[in-house]
Amino acid sequence: MGVSVKDAMQIGGLVKCKVVAGEKGLHKTIDYITVMEVPDVIRWLKGNDLLLTSLYPIKDDEEAIGQLVQQLHAVGSSALAIKTERYVKQIPAAIIEAGNRLDFPIIEIDDEVSYLDIMTPLMERSLNQPDLGKEQLEKSFQWITELAMGGKGIPALVEAVQQMTENIITVGSEMPNLEGISSGSHVAPLTRSQKNELKIAKRSIRMERMLNHLKTPCIVTPLLLNDELYGDVTCWQTKREFVERDFLVLDRTILLMALEFLKVITKADVEQNFKDDLLTEVLLGNITDKTEVINKGRMFNWDLAKDYQVFAITFTSSSSHTTLIENEALWFQERKRKMLRKVNDIFRFNAILTIRKEHIIVLYHCDGTGAPEYAQQQRPHKSSTMDLAESAYRQLSQEFEELQFTLGIGRFYQGLEGIHEGYKEAVKAIQLGKPISGATGCVHYEDLGIYRVLGQVSDWKEMEELYSETIGKLVEYDWSNNATLADTLREYFASNCSLSESAEKLFVHVNTMKYRLQKIEQLTGCNVHDAEKRLLLHMGLKIDQLLQSGNI
């Protein structure tokens, strides 16, 4: 690249940045630009590097932060540019001190300046140098653009880029209906950590991955659509060492790859809309001709003549996470796409999936090779069904850490009408079962108990009056007097009306429990030792749980 740090500060995004230490080293020459989003990036540097980083890989490692500038100086790097605000509020004092001591320029990147704002102008300057063969490179870009616009597809693009880089190129895909291209090699999939690195970097980065069972240096370029990772293009160092232009080639190529992926995504979305329309009629029970519905299902390779267990899955984002989302509607749409792929994988591609309002609905058929196992009359065991639901909950929670899931399971019914009944119960299990879902996040309709009866009530006037006459009085008293009578009653019933056990769980004396129960009787007129009155209090507590969960 051959530009001094001082001159680089007058180019592109660096104009808005400032040198905060090591001003005496501004004469150093920049030949390469590297982004540090992995801890061991130092060993990839060639000398005369400008290193861009948010310090994310080492933000919690004080020792690594203290050694960073010394290590960069030792390998002959030219400058360090740090983006503050997101992961570190300010450049650590140890880095400032080392920069001044070693005359090593430290640059603070303005919050509004992206890595690409810095890299692209500097790369363009390098391409203006005749010895880099800019004209030949542009002809190559024109060639691969014509391949893409001519509909030659991903394989033709891969072959062209392999000729340009003289190294093996592979394409990874997160989409089940778009297979990756391995160029005849065995490629280990990206790890979760590597995927996170790519999503943070949002550009090509150096990595080491397994190619043909050997750890191989590579450049990995993420294919991101709406900040979701849909795939990657990887250039493997198999024939020659990487040069700076390889990064530029991959960054230009990924845009063309994205067009190919968008074609597949658009086609999948259109097909999913047709699927959703058909299944909506089945789920709502709007079936006039069973034969016609079954025949339509065959267009999607479904056999709706079989019997299915119905699962409903809903999710919400934590409030702390949604505050960071610029376009929440778009973010949720991308999340639904990714979840459909994950759910399809969890249920072993043996399920029919649809999105109905805020729920992902799963129609699961067992062919005898997997859970849930079938007993008499092809009826799945409830325990096996719950095992499958809890496994799905764990996998989804692990894959989407920023989301909270609830799974509802309906009872098993046969036939198309059975899908309708199972769907109603699965959704009802979610709506009414959150108070009893516990750590598993899964609720079977059969486990709703009295909630199944309450859920059938269409006129809540009498229920509201019952609540007001019982638990409502306790809630009002607790709020006015900073008391805990409602919680005391709930724990007393949970302890099977044992004074000593409930007192122990509430960390109070037995006499305190007796006093509170007397106060509850005084306020509600219900003696906990009277079976009829105790039932009213039980019902009031159930209604209170429904009120707290927002289902009344």
Side-chain angles (χ1 to χ4, degrees), residues 365-548:
H365 170 74
C366 180
D367 58 8
T369 62
E373 297 174 354
Y374 280 68
Q376 296 178 355
Q377 298 180 349
Q378 298 295 303
R379 182 174 298 275
H381 291 299
K382 177 188 170 187
S383 60
S384 298
T385 302
M386 290 301 292
D387 287 344
L388 181 60
E390 290 169 9
S391 175
Y393 173 82
R394 288 192 299 270
Q395 293 182 61
L396 287 170
S397 298
Q398 185 177 19
E399 182 77 15
F400 305 94
E401 297 178 351
E402 73 279 13
L403 300 178
Q404 297 176 338
F405 292 91
T406 305
L407 274 72
I409 306 96
R411 290 177 292 191
F412 176 76
Y413 298 94
Q414 294 180 320
L416 282 174
E417 296 86 351
I419 294 175
H420 170 56
E421 294 299 325
Y423 163 71
K424 288 195 303 181
E425 293 184 355
V427 172
K428 188 69 71 173
I430 290 177
Q431 293 173 342
L432 302 179
K434 287 185 179 180
I436 63 173
S437 62
T440 67
C442 303
V443 187
H444 197 290
Y445 185 77
E446 286 186 0
D447 294 331
L448 290 178
I450 191 63
Y451 292 112
R452 284 156 55 183
V453 177
L454 296 178
Q456 302 300 320
V457 176
S458 57
D459 183 1
W460 278 93
K461 183 178 179 181
E462 291 297 330
M463 289 296 177
E464 290 173 352
E465 289 185 4
L466 174 60
Y467 169 78
S468 299
E469 294 169 1
T470 55
I471 304 305
K473 293 181 178 180
L474 301 184
V475 170
E476 184 178 349
Y477 179 86
D478 288 344
W479 186 84
S480 301
N481 297 275
N482 195 27
T484 57
L485 292 183
D487 288 339
T488 296
L489 182 63
R490 189 175 290 108
E491 189 58 57
Y492 178 70
F493 286 154
S495 301
N496 293 318
C497 300
S498 169
L499 277 174
S500 58
E501 183 178 343
S502 54
E504 182 179 353
K505 290 181 178 179
L506 293 170
F507 302 102
V508 298
H509 194 274
V510 171
N511 288 338
T512 302
M513 279 296 301
K514 291 179 180 179
Y515 168 79
R516 291 183 181 179
L517 293 177
Q518 290 173 357
K519 189 65 178 178
I520 289 171
E521 180 180 358
Q522 177 185 343
L523 291 170
T524 64
C526 297
N527 189 322
V528 295
H529 303 296
D530 183 295
E532 292 294 330
K533 299 298 184 181
R534 187 164 61 243
L535 176 59
L536 292 178
L537 292 173
H538 268 297
M539 292 289 291
L541 286 174
K542 299 299 183 185
I543 298 171
D544 180 54
Q545 286 182 304
L546 291 178
L547 286 169
Q548 292 183 27

Side-chain angles (χ1 to χ4, degrees), residues 261-291:
F261 273 66
L262 279 172
K263 292 177 186 177
V264 177
I265 294 170
T266 302
K267 180 181 178 182
D269 283 349
V270 171
E271 183 175 293
Q272 186 63 50
N273 287 336
F274 282 115
K275 291 178 178 179
D276 294 342
D277 289 343
L278 175 58
L279 284 179
T280 294
E281 298 303 309
V282 175
L283 296 176
L284 297 180
N286 298 334
I287 302 172
T288 55
D289 189 332
K290 294 182 182 179
T291 302

Side-chain angles (χ1 to χ4, degrees), residues 28 41-49 51 66-80 98-99 101-106:
K28 295 177 183 289
V41 73
I42 304 296
R43 63 194 181 110
W44 300 112
L45 302 179
K46 299 179 180 180
N48 294 343
D49 307 90
L51 185 65
Q67 295 176 354
L68 179 60
V69 176
Q70 180 66 51
Q71 290 174 335
L72 292 174
H73 178 70
V75 298
S77 293
S78 303
L80 172 65
R101 173 166 46 85
L102 299 171
D103 294 335
F104 188 90
I106 307 297

Side-chain angles (χ1 to χ4, degrees), residues 193-209:
S193 174
Q194 290 170 335
K195 291 178 181 179
N196 287 337
E197 289 170 16
L198 288 169
K199 291 179 70 174
I200 292 170
K202 300 184 189 309
R203 62 172 299 277
S204 303
I205 59 176
R206 291 178 181 265
M207 285 185 178
E208 278 192 343
R209 295 177 60 191

Side-chain angles (χ1 to χ4, degrees), residues 34-38 51-59 65 68 80-92 95 109 115 200-201:
T34 303
V35 175
M36 177 186 179
E37 297 300 354
V38 290
L51 185 65
L52 310 179
T53 182
S54 64
L55 292 181
Y56 173 77
I58 59 173
K59 62 183 177 65
I65 289 175
L68 179 60
L80 172 65
I82 299 175
K83 191 170 182 64
T84 54
E85 293 300 330
R86 184 168 185 182
Y87 297 114
V88 293
K89 291 298 181 183
Q90 58 187 9
I91 298 177
I95 290 178
I109 301 176
Y115 291 161
I200 292 170

